[in-house]
Amino acid sequence: MASILAIGKRWRAQLRIKGRSITKTFRTKAEAERWARATEIDVASGNASALKTDLATLIADYQTVREKSGRPVSPTSNEHYMMKRLTLKLGDKIAAELTTQDIVSYAQARRTEDGVGGYTVEMELSKLGTILRHMAGMLDANIPDAVTKARPMLKHLHLVEGGKTRERRPTGAELTSILLWFADNPQYGLPMIDIVTVLLRSGFRRGELFRIVWDDLDEAARMVMVRDRKHPRQKKGNDEWVPLIAEAFEIVVRQPRIDKRIFPFEPGTASKYFKWA
């Protein structure tokens, strides 16, 4: 028996056949019901091709598996936003039927319509490849790694590229100019002068700054605990106390306590404003 569930503005049809979940997401409830009836008939007649899952469902299932395994995808992480974009642009595709053309079209749209760089596209497609490979094993399903197959064409068309090497730090004069620009151009409630100054003084990665919480601040020691710092081998549990030197401590403690996070903003938004400056 199929279950039809409302997922936001879309409808998900789900069947369980011999312990295996078969799901697909549709724009209307009627479409979901028609698919469910046709799939039940196909499975009953032994048509294995009916075991198809769209990419939106596969990504959602991947997030569920991560959460149940104690490694949830943070809603403020780059990983979360990468999967959100993949769902938006490729979610209606059947995961097992993704083609090189689908992957290339996605990359082209991200580069030309959204204006992102090749490294950003590379990161998003790498995440897609990870999801396809791991969920294929998890579901014991034949889901080809379309990303790996598409890589030669992606590189030939210069749609993906590696991260650019940082060559130098900004000069004092450049930093002064940037901070003056922020003073003259307040950015929609983001305290960019405070954010940039704390980053400069304490050496946080961008993502670290925006996830530290008030409960991890030791005011007496003028230090803050940064959890799960980036490490080449230790992906979780690499917590470290970081001193808040110079004016960084005063800036942190004067932030309004309106959220559990000290700086409750999106990293991507802050980066956009910094690039503007």
Side-chain angles (χ1 to χ4, degrees):
M1 186 68 183
S3 62
I4 310 296
L5 304 172
I7 307 296
K9 295 182 179 180
R10 296 169 69 87
W11 292 86
R12 178 187 295 176
Q14 184 175 50
L15 295 170
R16 292 198 65 83
I17 308 291
K18 297 180 180 180
R20 176 176 292 181
S21 177
I22 311 171
T23 59
K24 190 172 181 180
T25 305
F26 298 87
R27 289 174 297 176
T28 67
K29 185 176 182 180
E31 290 176 339
E33 290 172 340
R34 285 196 297 271
W35 176 86
R37 286 195 296 270
T39 302
E40 287 176 323
I41 294 171
D42 285 343
V43 171
S45 64
N47 183 0
S49 66
L51 300 178
K52 298 178 180 180
T53 301
D54 63 41
L55 190 59
T57 300
L58 195 73
I59 292 173
D61 290 346
Y62 172 79
Q63 291 176 298
T64 300
V65 171
R66 286 275 300 269
E67 185 173 358
K68 289 181 177 178
S69 303
R71 190 170 167 247
V73 178
S74 169
T76 61
S77 67
N78 286 338
E79 191 176 20
H80 169 80
Y81 288 105
M82 285 192 289
M83 287 189 281
K84 188 174 181 179
R85 294 185 198 103
L86 289 165
T87 298
L88 177 65
K89 293 184 178 291
L90 291 172
D92 60 345
K93 302 288 185 181
I94 300 300
E97 297 176 2
L98 279 173
T99 65
T100 294
Q101 185 176 358
D102 293 330
I103 301 300
V104 169
S105 295
Y106 173 87
Q108 289 171 331
R110 291 291 284 144
R111 293 298 302 268
T112 60
E113 296 174 14
D114 301 334
V116 304
Y119 182 61
T120 297
V121 176
E122 168 65 31
M123 294 295 290
E124 292 172 0
L125 291 178
S126 292
K127 173 51 63 177
L128 174 59
T130 296
I131 294 169
L132 293 174
R133 291 190 297 273
H134 288 308
M135 292 307 292
M138 184 73 185
L139 300 174
D140 191 23
N142 182 21
I143 303 176
D145 185 354
V147 175
T148 296
K149 185 178 180 181
R151 282 205 177 280
M153 182 57 75
L154 292 168
K155 292 178 180 178
H156 177 67
L157 297 174
H158 300 288
L159 293 171
V160 296
E161 61 187 16
K164 293 180 174 62
T165 301
R166 293 169 178 81
E167 297 178 346
R168 66 175 181 84
R169 291 178 61 84
T171 66
E174 288 169 336
L175 290 172
T176 297
S177 295
I178 289 171
L179 296 177
L180 287 173
W181 189 89
F182 284 129
D184 293 335
N185 300 272
Q187 296 303 316
Y188 305 103
L190 268 72
M192 287 300 299
I193 293 177
D194 287 353
I195 288 169
V196 172
T197 303
V198 172
L199 286 170
L200 286 168
R201 295 291 180 260
S202 300
F204 293 121
R205 291 177 178 274
R206 182 192 63 170
E208 293 171 347
L209 178 66
F210 291 102
R211 70 169 184 264
I212 57 175
V213 297
W214 288 108
D215 287 347
D216 285 338
L217 173 65
D218 185 337
E219 294 192 44
R222 299 169 71 96
M223 301 179 76
V224 66
M225 172 72 78
V226 180
R227 300 190 180 276
D228 299 328
R229 300 205 87 176
K230 188 173 182 179
H231 189 278
R233 292 175 298 277
Q234 191 174 345
K235 301 300 183 183
K236 189 174 182 180
N238 186 38
D239 302 339
E240 183 178 349
W241 284 102
V242 177
L244 296 171
I245 62 175
E247 66 267 45
F249 175 74
E250 286 74 18
I251 290 173
V252 165
V253 297
R254 76 178 180 222
Q255 299 305 308
R257 303 201 179 203
I258 57 176
D259 189 276
K260 67 179 182 179
R261 291 184 293 153
I262 296 175
F263 291 98
F265 310 106
E266 298 302 329
T269 304
S271 289
K272 177 178 69 175
Y273 295 152
F274 188 84
K275 289 177 182 177
W276 284 359

